[in-house]
Amino acid sequence: MAESRTFTGLLAATAVGVYLLVLAGATTTLTDAAAACTTWPLCDGPVDVTNTALLVAWGHRLVAAAVGLLVVAMAVVGLRSGCRGRVKAAIILGAALYPVQIALGAIVATSTETALPGAHLALGMGIFGSFVLALAWHLEAETGSDDETPVKNPTPAPEPTGDDTPDRTPALTFRERLVGTASAYFRLMKPRLMWLLCLVAAAGMALAAGQTLTVRTVLLTLGGGVLSIGASGTFNHVLERDIDKRMDRTSDRPIATHQIPVRNALAFGLLLSFASLWLFWQVNVLVAVLGLTAIVFYSIIYTLVLKPNTVQNTVIGGAAGALPALIGWVAADGSVGLPGVVLAVVIFLWTPAHFYNLALAYKDDYEAGGFPMMPVVRGETETRKHIVYYLGATLISAGVLGVLTPLGWLYAVTSVLLGAVFLWAVILLHREQTEAAAFRAFHASNAYLGAVLIAIVVDALAL
């Protein structure tokens, strides 16, 4: 067991090291540094501590050498261990490609061929992907269980028995009733989702417009975003009110407890929708269309079609969270652009890596609600493995975003450091397999995306 844990740590550290090199190469910081050092393996001339680009070039090559040693050590330990054949195959592939990556890097440093840097980065992402696959498969073998009994077709638990009439609490003052009602309507809007989705839209706007971004565009877009999130959340509460009563985490929701009548909630959701679309329309027509799409997709497609019927509900439903990236980009640019699409892909791929942790923590609750979440129908081992898959895919897509945009060192450092923290939390989830570990990984995923989005905004607007 100790040997296996040592190998897991080596494999994770190697993957993070390779990702550091990929992100460094994907940012403008290293692109500028390449011009400062056009020889290989060493840079000609003395090291000038005032020349930032030259220091970055030296740092990149030293890190590449250190990661190379880590690759060798990890490969030796892995191949001598009793890990499965496909784990060894992935390790051999990544280790064999690393010298090719170094050779490509040497050619990039000494050549003016414009196609080579792209190939260099693509190969680096391939090596990182190979090590992530090895890690996912090794953790599955090391911590997985054959004793799980997945439920192929979960059915909702019986609705709790008891008085189904609205709760009438006497002796409340007018102010207490007013505050309680306002709080209930606010809960309908799912406010805990707002900060992150608004950050997604803000990152899209910052990438598209940079320092030319106007306050008017920001206020209208984020205002419309808050209202559209509120509308989607309200409709979700209405449509799932009966199932909410069967689940512990949702049984106290305002509609499930009759604190707010269904008719009033529907009217509130429609009011929020119209107000959101009006604000979006002030930006441009395409933003309004995307805003309407987001409301309909989450409220109808996800809530009624995907969530109760397919194990891929979380994956496909990630489109709802990805749309704010396009809304933000289109608000600032007026049309859909490739960097905006890639930012949306980052959010789309991050969603399963994020939400599967919550699904693990509330597995029994989702089963009681009849939802075919992955831990319910495929088991916890399979779910944990898919978290690693989607985390790796998220980090790769974040690297692609760095290639397509002028984002610099702040974005690269944030993505690597918080990505490493996220990966560490997921590894602990595999080993501990507790509700607390699932929540830790869930919060780490929030921290990763929140920090990366803030880094994008700051990098694009201030650096």
Side-chain angles (χ1 to χ4, degrees):
M1 179 62 72
E3 181 184 3
S4 179
R5 291 194 172 211
T6 299
F7 172 59
T8 301
L10 270 175
L11 185 51
T14 304
V16 171
V18 172
Y19 187 64
L20 171 62
L21 293 174
V22 169
L23 259 290
T27 60
T28 55
T29 300
L30 188 62
T31 302
D32 296 337
C37 181
T38 57
T39 57
W40 192 89
L42 304 177
C43 299
D44 287 342
V47 177
D48 182 1
V49 294
T50 64
N51 188 336
T52 304
L54 185 59
L55 291 177
V56 171
W58 269 106
H60 181 68
R61 295 185 186 188
L62 291 174
V63 171
V67 173
L69 294 176
L70 200 55
V71 168
V72 172
M74 178 273 298
V76 169
V77 173
L79 295 178
R80 293 178 61 184
S81 70
C83 61
R84 293 182 177 179
R86 62 177 180 174
V87 177
K88 292 182 178 180
I91 292 170
I92 291 171
L93 177 62
L97 289 177
Y98 197 81
V100 180
Q101 172 79 344
I102 293 176
L104 264 180
I107 297 173
V108 168
T110 58
S111 171
T112 58
E113 177 58 49
T114 57
L116 289 177
H120 182 57
L121 289 171
L123 186 57
M125 292 178 184
I127 295 170
F128 171 72
S130 180
F131 290 151
V132 167
L133 286 176
L135 181 61
W137 294 335
H138 176 66
L139 285 170
E140 178 189 25
E142 180 187 29
T143 66
S145 172
D146 296 327
D147 298 330
E148 298 182 61
T149 54
V151 181
K152 297 300 182 183
N153 297 295
T155 56
E159 187 172 329
T161 58
D163 186 9
D164 198 40
T165 59
D167 181 27
R168 304 187 184 280
T169 305
L172 289 179
T173 66
F174 173 77
R175 182 178 180 278
E176 289 172 333
R177 290 198 302 272
L178 181 63
V179 171
T181 301
S183 175
Y185 275 101
F186 186 62
R187 287 184 63 200
L188 286 182
M189 298 173 66
K190 295 195 173 182
R192 285 184 293 183
L193 299 178
M194 290 179 179
W195 71 273
L196 196 56
L197 293 176
C198 284
L199 263 181
V200 173
M205 288 187 282
L207 281 177
Q211 296 181 356
T212 65
L213 185 62
T214 65
V215 174
R216 177 182 181 274
T217 299
V218 172
L219 293 178
L220 288 173
T221 304
L222 295 186
V226 166
L227 295 175
S228 67
I229 295 165
S232 301
T234 299
F235 292 137
N236 176 266
H237 276 250
V238 170
L239 295 171
E240 291 188 346
R241 61 188 184 277
D242 292 330
I243 293 178
D244 283 344
K245 299 173 184 177
R246 297 174 167 88
M247 300 173 61
D248 289 339
R249 65 182 290 260
T250 59
S251 59
D252 64 342
R253 285 180 170 176
I255 302 178
T257 57
H258 305 284
Q259 189 175 3
I260 296 177
V262 172
R263 182 177 60 183
N264 293 7
L266 281 173
F268 182 61
L270 290 172
L271 176 63
L272 292 174
S273 299
F274 285 123
S276 166
L277 296 178
W278 182 81
L279 289 177
F280 282 151
W281 190 274
Q282 307 308 305
V283 182
N284 61 58
V285 175
L286 185 52
V287 168
V289 171
L290 289 172
L292 177 60
T293 302
I295 294 172
V296 172
F297 185 88
Y298 184 80
S299 304
I300 306 299
I301 305 302
Y302 174 71
T303 301
L304 292 182
V305 179
L306 297 174
K307 190 175 180 181
N309 294 307
T310 173
V311 69
Q312 297 300 325
N313 48 23
T314 300
V315 177
I316 304 172
L323 278 169
L326 293 180
I327 290 172
W329 180 278
V330 171
D333 186 72
S335 61
V336 177
L338 182 58
V341 173
V342 175
L343 177 60
V345 170
V346 172
I347 309 304
F348 180 82
L349 294 171
W350 167 86
T351 301
H354 161 75
F355 185 78
Y356 281 158
N357 297 290
L358 197 65
L360 284 168
Y362 290 119
K363 174 188 171 184
D364 294 339
D365 230 11
Y366 282 117
E367 183 177 347
F371 293 122
M373 298 300 179
M374 182 167 283
V376 176
V377 302
R378 299 277 180 84
E380 296 184 18
T381 298
E382 190 73 9
T383 303
R384 290 191 296 268
K385 180 175 68 175
H386 276 75
I387 291 173
V388 181
Y389 285 165
Y390 281 104
L391 172 54
T394 300
L395 295 177
I396 290 174
S397 62
V400 173
L401 184 64
V403 174
L404 297 176
T405 60
L407 294 170
W409 66 268
L410 179 62
Y411 173 75
V413 170
T414 302
S415 187
V416 172
L417 290 181
L418 273 297
V421 171
F422 190 2
L423 181 60
W424 166 79
V426 171
I427 291 174
L428 289 183
L429 170 64
H430 277 76
R431 289 176 175 168
E432 297 175 11
Q433 301 180 21
T434 62
E435 182 178 303
F439 278 118
R440 183 198 299 126
F442 175 79
H443 293 309
S445 69
N446 270 333
Y448 165 78
L449 187 62
V452 165
L453 293 172
I454 292 172
I456 290 173
V457 172
V458 174
D459 215 329
L461 297 182
L463 298 181

